[in-house]
Amino acid sequence: GPDSYLTLPDLIAQVEAGHKAINIELSTTETYRDVVPERVAGNRLSGFVSIMRGCNNFCHYCIVPYTRGRERSRDVESILTEVRDLEKRGYKEVTLLGQNVNSYGKGLEEQVDFSDLLNLLCTVPGDYHIRFMTSHPKDLSDELIDVMAHSKHILPQFHLPVQHGNDEILRRMNRHYNRAQYLDRVRKLREAIPAIGLTTDIIVGFPGETEADFRESCDFLKQIGFLKVHVFPYSRRSGTPAYDFPDQVHEREKQARSREMNA
Ligand code: SF4
């Protein structure tokens, strides 16, 4: 498994000694800090840079915090080195990746958050754009919006997963925001960056979702007017709290709601 790359010498030694060697464990601490990826020859347009891994949010439908562990961030210098390298090679776009990029910096020795990181990255000279994903609405700060509004490198695009448009379902999902708070972030983004293109993820058929809740979710999408929406029928993952919720929505109904929302 990719997370066990540091044990490769040991695994190879075991094979050379005539044994089977396998390690497919997902690490809860690995950040790939010192690994600068080989870039695919021919693609000189878009490069992906991982800035943090793991998640502390425990949304009730999601397995990530259990398999990927808690949030840990790469230090600023290693990220800067990778972005400078991409710029030098002629890349035009850098996408910063993390399960929740908005909480970048927690646990690092240096006092730095995601808006500080973006400010620093924007000092890398050159003709390139920056994008990032994914962002949790509850961690989207005014400072981040301000940095975006004043940067010539960061694209006016924001992927902000809403997941549902009904407050009770959001609470049951353990998302830690409600419709009003989400709308407030959208309003702030649009005020500061009028050209912003908003995209989102949304789940249909979460346990307990009634027809009325579903309608409310559809109406919320219309109200906001996203540039693009990724609709996901709720997928039951064992090991997550929602797996055991009693009021599961029938698969057929989930698919029908998904089709309708997409339409
Ligand atoms: Fe974390 Fe995103 Fe999963 Fe929620 S959905 S637990 S924020 S990775």
Side-chain angles (χ1 to χ4, degrees), residues 93-97 129-133 153-155 157:
E93 186 174 292
V94 174
T95 303
L96 308 173
L97 296 175
H129 291 139
I130 295 177
R131 295 178 194 266
F132 52 83
M133 62 181 197
H153 289 299
I154 304 170
L155 286 177
Q157 186 249 323

Side-chain angles (χ1 to χ4, degrees), residues 54-66 68 71 98-100 134-139 161 163 173-175 203:
C55 185
N56 293 354
N57 287 314
F58 292 91
C59 301
H60 282 164
Y61 50 81
C62 182
I63 198 74
V64 163
Y66 306 96
R68 300 279 157 151
E71 288 170 359
Q99 252 89 32
N100 181 13
T134 296
S135 298
H136 196 298
K138 76 174 168 48
D139 298 316
Q163 304 303 12
M173 285 178 163
N174 201 32
R175 290 290 288 176
I203 294 172

Side-chain angles (χ1 to χ4, degrees), residues 112-172:
V112 62
D113 64 15
F114 188 49
S115 53
D116 299 327
L117 176 71
L118 285 175
N119 257 328
L120 284 163
L121 291 176
C122 287
T123 63
V124 176
D127 176 22
Y128 63 94
H129 291 139
I130 295 177
R131 295 178 194 266
F132 52 83
M133 62 181 197
T134 296
S135 298
H136 196 298
K138 76 174 168 48
D139 298 316
L140 170 48
S141 68
D142 289 349
E143 290 75 26
L144 172 57
I145 296 173
D146 196 51
V147 172
M148 287 185 76
H150 295 100
S151 163
K152 69 180 172 69
H153 289 299
I154 304 170
L155 286 177
Q157 186 249 323
F158 212 106
H159 185 66
L160 194 61
V162 62
Q163 304 303 12
H164 212 276
N166 170 275
D167 282 346
E168 175 57 17
I169 300 274
L170 284 171
R171 191 191 64 75
R172 288 165 55 101

